[in-house]
Amino acid sequence: MDVVLFGPPGAGKGTQAKRLVEQLRIPQISTGDMMRAERASGSELGQRFESFMSLGKLVPDSLVLELVEQRLKQEDAKGGAIFDGYPRTIPQAESLDTMLERLARKIDVVVSIEVSLTEQIDRITGRRTCVACGQVYHVRYSPPPPGGRCGNCGGELGQRKDDLEEVIRKRHEEYLANTQPLLGYYGARKLVATVDGIGSLDEVTARIQTAIAH
Ligand code: AP5
């Protein structure tokens, strides 16, 4: 099964993708996480990603394509994937269709998680992420255990560099201009299921599970 978790910055895509991995037994493919890992490696490619990400701009499609193509070749992605934060533009969606077609696969469902801009800013400014395993917390809604370290691996928690309010607003503009039009692209194929992103983590997970099952 191939699922796209769709939504604006802070909608809860990453949080929900991690919850679905165990249930669906397919990996999460997050282009944002992959780019941050590349950046952390100090590579030249990572520095190119950084020059766009720090400003809240989308990374050019050509750089993203290569990243996803390599990831889809890995063994664990042979039976499907949960795409998180990808595709983000019409050309990315078209190239994903082509890549999946070559593997005799196709997108089964696009789950669009809806939240307001106020909620996005509140969530993103309060987000804390484990620098070691990527587990996501929120200072109020999903707090880490006492002691302030990751409950999964004991790693240190940090804030993403692009989680400043002015950068979040730029990311939101990019979403409206380049990513939201994908709802029309997938909607024409009746692949979009919309879910309300407001509620407890369990409530949102249940809504997504229902959307995927239909
Ligand atoms: P990326 O890493 O993909 O970020 P994003 O799409 O902006 O989304 P976020 O990761 O901010 O939010 P999320 O929806 O995953 O929310 P989360 O679950 O963390 O991209 C970053 C940058 O990389 C882009 O700006 C771009 O430069 C580049 N990039 C990446 N992919 C690209 C691509 N394909 N093409 C071009 N450029 C690309 O939740 C947020 C917070 O809310 C957390 O603290 C969480 O605990 C909390 N939370 C979650 N659910 C709930 C809930 N139900 N109630 C209360 N709090 C909640």
Side-chain angles (χ1 to χ4, degrees):
M1 170 170 240
D2 286 287
V3 180
V4 174
L5 280 193
F6 189 88
K13 304 180 296 292
T15 302
Q16 294 297 335
K18 286 181 177 58
R19 292 175 145 231
L20 292 174
V21 162
E22 277 179 35
Q23 187 211 337
L24 300 177
R25 295 181 184 280
I26 49 178
Q28 169 194 17
I29 296 188
S30 159
T31 44
D33 285 351
M34 289 156 79
M35 288 170 190
R36 281 183 284 278
E38 192 67 43
R39 195 176 60 188
S41 78
S43 72
E44 198 193 322
L45 181 62
Q47 285 171 24
R48 288 180 73 190
F49 291 154
E50 167 68 7
S51 64
F52 297 97
M53 294 168 85
S54 59
L55 299 176
K57 291 185 180 170
L58 289 182
V59 169
D61 292 336
S62 54
L63 297 181
V64 183
L65 174 68
E66 205 174 311
L67 209 60
V68 177
E69 224 166 11
Q70 296 305 322
R71 182 64 185 87
L72 272 178
K73 284 182 188 156
Q74 289 173 17
E75 191 60 34
D76 65 338
K78 294 232 158 105
I82 302 163
F83 297 98
D84 155 17
Y86 172 87
R88 271 242 218 332
T89 62
I90 301 276
Q92 287 184 23
E94 289 169 344
S95 56
L96 177 60
D97 283 342
T98 308
M99 281 187 269
L100 290 178
E101 219 170 278
R102 274 193 226 122
L103 300 167
R105 285 159 49 181
K106 59 175 177 44
I107 296 297
D108 294 290
V109 61
V110 175
V111 181
S112 173
I113 308 173
E114 294 196 329
V115 296
S116 67
L117 178 58
T118 316
E119 180 76 16
Q120 288 169 50
I121 292 172
D122 184 39
R123 286 186 182 185
I124 295 177
T125 49
R127 171 168 51 199
R128 299 292 180 272
T129 308
C130 175
V131 294
C133 75
Q135 181 65 36
V136 175
Y137 297 92
H138 189 282
V139 289
R140 292 189 306 284
Y141 309 131
S142 187
R149 296 187 80 89
C150 178
N152 258 359
C153 72
E156 203 181 311
L157 304 184
Q159 247 185 312
R160 271 170 44 179
K161 289 184 190 167
D162 59 346
D163 281 355
L164 301 169
E165 188 166 335
E166 69 265 26
V167 185
I168 301 168
R169 287 187 186 277
K170 177 66 193 160
R171 285 160 58 194
H172 184 69
E173 279 171 28
E174 288 275 65
Y175 170 78
L176 293 180
N178 297 303
T179 307
Q180 195 163 260
L182 286 175
L183 290 175
Y185 178 87
Y186 288 120
R189 283 149 59 186
K190 303 209 181 319
L191 290 176
V192 180
T194 301
V195 302
D196 182 0
I198 304 297
S200 70
L201 298 188
D202 286 346
E203 282 166 347
V204 179
T205 305
R207 288 175 201 145
I208 295 174
Q209 285 169 332
T210 305
I212 289 174
H214 280 89

